[in-house]
Amino acid sequence: MAAVTRAGEPLLVARGLSKSFGRGARRKVAVQGVDLDIHRGDIYVLIGLSGSGKSTVLRMLNRLIDPTTGTVELDGQDLSDLTPKQLREVRNRRISMVFQHFALFPHRTVRENAAYGLRLRGVDKARAWDKADEALSIVGLADWGDAKPSELSGGMKQRVGLARALTTDADVILMDEPFSALDPLIRTEMQDLLVKLAHELGRTVVVVTHDLNEATQLGTHITLLAQGRVAQTGTAVDILTSPADDYVRRFVGEVDRARALKASDVLVPTAQWDQAVPEVTVDPGHTLAQVAARLGRSHGAAVTENGSLLGYVSTESVLSAVAHVEGRVA
Ligand SMILES: Nc1ncnc2c1ncn2[C@@H]1O[C@H](COP(=O)(O)OP(=O)(O)O)[C@@H](O)[C@H]1O
Ligand SMILES: [Mg+2]
């Protein structure tokens, strides 16, 4: 399937990526013909069932696994042309994999922990600490830079780990199921923080998950893999509202749309709004569940960001988007 067309040159491009493991009768095709267009600033989610090839695709993006066939290009440079030394550089500085489950160094301060990746890459202390402080303040830990990890709660430690993962100069950050071990409450908080950090620090992230709610929470773009092939690529809204085939339709059948869709997804531009101006206001990033909770008896809400009016959402469109289930009339 052709990748979604978007304006601008993609940063990271995969074409026809395939991977087979083993030989002869034991040969197993793990990934077949995967195309991806990852743009700067994307949170690009690879989702699929266990064994669908997500980790293999992710690892081919920085050639931790060599593709059997197909290419990966970063800024137009084919990674298969690189010498081993150049490849190490690319992995360190340009397409870096976050491995840890956010474990911190106990004897270093929170700031040193957050700055760790940059220091490892030889960035001078002042700059690394500035970057670390910026990330710590985004995750709500501005006052904790001098503390030791042992002074923090479990959830706070997770936030430091996330800040550290995103405090990097790498063009692309690869994360394989980063939140799968977390309990649900911390997990939701971490998903929100990843979106915020990536946005405010201008990071490009490729995240693997098997959880559709997580995918729709995080992903600016989502590729659903099925048995090593792309079943569909699109935004969360594309995949939820226009599934490409029965497989995708079944896969997305169970998603919690109220959490997956945001006010910005059902926004009506000001010029096209023909109802009375509602008194309720919401943010574009509010989920429809959050919007619904604020609507009360109002017929709609104004969507504002930093004091400026972006448009409106109608109560009717919010409710029908939440209730929309393929094959069932809302
Ligand atoms: N090193 C390997 N050797 C043999 N088979 C592998 C190897 N890595 C992955 N596979 C197989 O490739 C398929 C895709 O695996 P993987 O990419 O890990 O899937 P996912 O991350 O979606 O669970 C699976 O069937 C898996 O068993
Ligand atoms: Mg995996």
Side-chain angles (χ1 to χ4, degrees):
M1 174 181 298
V4 173
T5 313
R6 284 195 280 151
E9 286 298 306
L11 176 63
L12 190 63
V13 176
R15 284 292 174 269
L17 271 191
S18 300
K19 181 69 188 179
S20 304
F21 292 105
R23 291 166 185 281
R26 289 176 167 273
R27 185 177 157 92
K28 154 97 202 171
V29 180
V31 172
Q32 206 167 7
V34 167
D35 295 336
L36 303 172
D37 285 289
I38 297 162
H39 289 248
R40 218 173 268 284
D42 283 353
I43 299 183
Y44 201 108
V45 172
L46 299 172
I47 185 172
L49 299 176
S50 175
S52 60
K54 304 178 297 291
S55 296
T56 305
V57 169
L58 193 74
R59 285 156 178 269
M60 288 195 282
L61 292 181
N62 70 349
R63 277 187 60 201
L64 283 172
I65 295 178
D66 272 317
T68 306
T69 59
T71 57
V72 176
E73 288 188 1
L74 176 69
D75 264 338
Q77 161 101 66
D78 188 336
L79 298 193
S80 62
D81 293 340
L82 302 179
T83 64
K85 180 161 178 284
Q86 288 171 323
L87 191 56
R88 276 197 302 278
E89 283 277 307
V90 162
R91 285 192 201 125
N92 274 332
R93 296 179 189 278
R94 305 209 59 193
I95 314 178
S96 70
M97 176 83 78
V98 175
F99 283 105
Q100 27 74 349
H101 272 278
F102 305 121
L104 304 180
F105 300 107
H107 302 298
R108 299 180 194 231
T109 65
V110 164
R111 179 180 298 106
E112 286 165 343
N113 267 285
Y116 180 74
L118 286 176
R119 294 291 286 145
L120 203 63
R121 291 180 181 92
V123 172
D124 68 77
K125 201 185 220 172
R127 202 174 99 75
W129 283 20
D130 274 355
K131 288 270 175 196
D133 282 341
E134 185 186 2
L136 287 172
S137 95
I138 294 169
V139 300
L141 295 173
D143 298 334
W144 292 84
D146 296 320
K148 290 282 171 58
S150 59
E151 298 170 57
L152 308 185
S153 70
M156 290 159 84
K157 284 182 199 157
Q158 295 290 334
R159 285 189 266 152
V160 177
L162 189 62
R164 178 172 70 193
L166 291 240
T167 302
T168 163
D169 283 340
D171 293 297
V172 183
I173 303 166
L174 308 179
M175 302 175 124
D176 197 341
E177 312 241 9
F179 307 138
S180 58
L182 302 180
D183 76 58
L185 273 182
I186 292 186
R187 188 170 173 155
T188 305
E189 181 187 325
M190 293 287 278
Q191 290 165 358
D192 292 345
L193 284 174
L194 173 58
V195 169
K196 194 168 170 216
L197 270 171
H199 181 67
E200 293 185 17
L201 299 176
R203 306 261 67 110
T204 307
V205 188
V206 186
V207 197
V208 162
T209 180
H210 62 269
D211 178 315
L212 185 61
N213 283 313
E214 180 161 284
T216 56
Q217 285 292 297
L218 296 179
T220 56
H221 288 77
I222 299 173
T223 287
L224 170 59
L225 294 172
Q227 298 185 331
R229 295 172 182 272
V230 174
Q232 186 166 355
T233 290
T235 62
V237 179
D238 293 337
I239 289 179
L240 294 179
T241 61
S242 317
D245 58 23
D246 282 342
Y247 180 85
V248 181
R249 191 167 295 123
R250 279 198 305 277
F251 194 92
V252 303
E254 298 304 310
V255 76
D256 180 355
R257 287 161 205 280
R259 257 169 57 77
L261 299 173
K262 300 196 166 64
S264 55
D265 295 326
V266 294
L267 181 96
V268 177
T270 319
Q272 288 163 32
W273 181 257
D274 54 10
Q275 304 182 47
V277 170
E279 281 175 16
V280 177
T281 62
V282 297
D283 296 342
H286 277 143
T287 64
L288 295 191
Q290 292 170 320
V291 172
R294 282 167 176 73
L295 280 171
R297 304 170 76 91
S298 175
H299 62 288
V303 183
T304 62
E305 191 169 45
N306 302 325
S308 66
L309 178 66
L310 302 180
Y312 300 96
V313 295
S314 70
T315 300
E316 193 190 342
S317 68
V318 170
L319 294 180
S320 78
V322 169
H324 171 91
V325 176
E326 205 64 34
R328 195 179 85 197
V329 179

